Amino acid sequence: MNLSTDLSTTNSCTTLEPSNRYLASAVVYGLVLAVGLPLNTLSLWILLRTHGFRSPCAVLMVNLAVSDLLLALSLPLRVYFYATLQWPFGAATCTAALMMFRVNIRTSCIFITLISVDRMIALVFPLRSRSLRTPACALKCCAVVWILITILCIPEIIRLHGALKGCPNIPCFEVQASPESSRVIPLSQAMFLLVLLLVNIVSTVVVIIVLRKRPSAEAAKVNNKMNVILIFVINMLVFIIFFLPFTLQLLTYNNDDSGEVIRALVCLASVNCCLDPLIYYFSLDSFWQDKGKRQTDAGTYSLSRSMDRS
C-alpha cells in the first residue's frame, strides 16, 4: 500500500527484463478488470436507480462501489505495463494510477467495516439507533473518509511524482522503496487495518450471540438468521483472505526484500473489487427490488426493512 512512499531516483528508474511474474501479473489484473469493472458499474447503477440514498446501508454500498471503480479504472494501465514492460504515459499518469489503487485498498477496508457496524447496530439497537442511522449521517461519514484519505495521500503524491518525473524509463508499478524509506507510515497503515479487522470480528461475534439468544424487547426480529450471519462472516473473511496477508507483510517488510511477495499480495488484494458486488449487493434479498416492493415483500428479512425505514 505504501512501499513507494519515499523513492530514490536510482531505484525508481531501473530497466525491467521480461519474466513469468510480469506475465502472470498482466493476466491476473486483466481478469480482475474484465470481471470487476462491469460488475461494479452494474451494481452502482442498480443501487442508485432502485435504492438511491434512502438508507444508510445503501449510502455505504454506493461509496464502496465508487471505491472499487477507482481500482478497476486504474487496471488497464497495469495490464499494459506488465504486458509490455513499457511506460510511455509519464510520471503524472503513473502517480495517478498508483494512488487510485491505494485509495481503493484504504477506503474499501473502511467502508466494509462501516457496513458491518451499521448492520450490527441495526440488529442490536434498532430503536435507539434510529436517530443515528440516517442517510444524512452516513453521507457525512463517507465524506469524512474521502476527505481524510485524500489529505493523507497528498504528501505521498508529491513524493511519488517528484521521484518519478526525472526518469527516462519509469518502471511504474515496480518502484522500490529506498533504503532511507521510513517505516512509520506502512506500519501505521498495517496497524489500522488490523484494528478494522478486529472491529469486523467483534461485530460478527456480537451478531451471532444476539441471534442465538432469545431477542430482547429492543432487538430486531430477523426472519432468516443464517443469511444475516453469513453476510457478517463473509465480510470478515474478505478481510482475512484479501487484506490480512498484505497487512502482515507490511509489518514484516524490510528494505532488503525483493518486493515480489508483497506485489503478489497486492495482486491478491485487488481481487476484492470483483467480490464486493456479489458479497455486499447480491447477498441482499432486496437488491433488485425498489423501495416500495421491499417494504411489502414478506420474504425480505426484518433487518433489511429496519435499514430501509431509517
Side-chain angles (χ1 to χ4, degrees), residues 19-20 50 78 117-118 178 182 234:
S19 74
N20 291 332
T50 64
R78 282 186 178 261
V117 172
D118 174 76
S178 67
S182 173
I234 291 176

Side-chain angles (χ1 to χ4, degrees), residues 144-155:
V144 169
V145 171
W146 287 111
I147 291 171
L148 286 179
I149 293 297
T150 301
I151 292 174
L152 291 174
C153 286
I154 290 176

Side-chain angles (χ1 to χ4, degrees), residues 134-278:
T134 63
C137 183
L139 282 169
K140 291 176 183 178
C141 289
C142 293
V144 169
V145 171
W146 287 111
I147 291 171
L148 286 179
I149 293 297
T150 301
I151 292 174
L152 291 174
C153 286
I154 290 176
E156 190 175 355
I157 293 171
I158 294 173
R159 284 192 290 267
L160 272 171
H161 185 263
L164 295 173
K165 65 181 180 180
C167 296
N169 182 28
I170 302 174
C172 183
F173 301 105
E174 290 288 310
V175 286
Q176 291 276 4
S178 67
E180 300 83 14
S181 177
S182 173
R183 296 276 295 148
V184 175
I185 295 179
L187 286 177
S188 61
Q189 290 178 349
M191 295 304 298
F192 181 66
L193 286 175
L194 290 175
V195 170
L196 294 181
L197 173 60
L198 179 61
V199 172
N200 278 271
I201 293 174
V202 170
S203 298
T204 303
V205 172
V206 169
V207 167
I208 292 175
I209 292 174
V210 169
L211 291 179
R212 289 186 62 183
K213 291 183 177 180
R214 190 165 186 168
S216 64
E218 188 183 355
K221 294 181 180 179
V222 179
N223 294 331
N224 196 332
K225 295 183 180 181
M226 185 54 64
N227 279 358
V228 176
I229 293 175
L230 184 61
I231 292 171
F232 280 88
V233 171
I234 291 176
N235 285 4
M236 186 177 62
L237 288 178
V238 167
F239 254 87
I240 293 174
I241 295 173
F242 296 108
F243 299 138
L244 183 59
F246 177 77
T247 303
L248 296 178
Q249 183 64 17
L250 276 181
L251 289 173
T252 59
Y253 181 83
N254 60 70
N255 292 320
D256 296 328
D257 293 337
S258 64
E260 291 192 6
V261 174
I262 201 161
R263 290 191 186 94
L265 294 177
V266 166
C267 202
L268 174 64
S270 69
V271 180
N272 86 90
C273 85
C274 298
L275 298 183
D276 283 345
L278 300 175

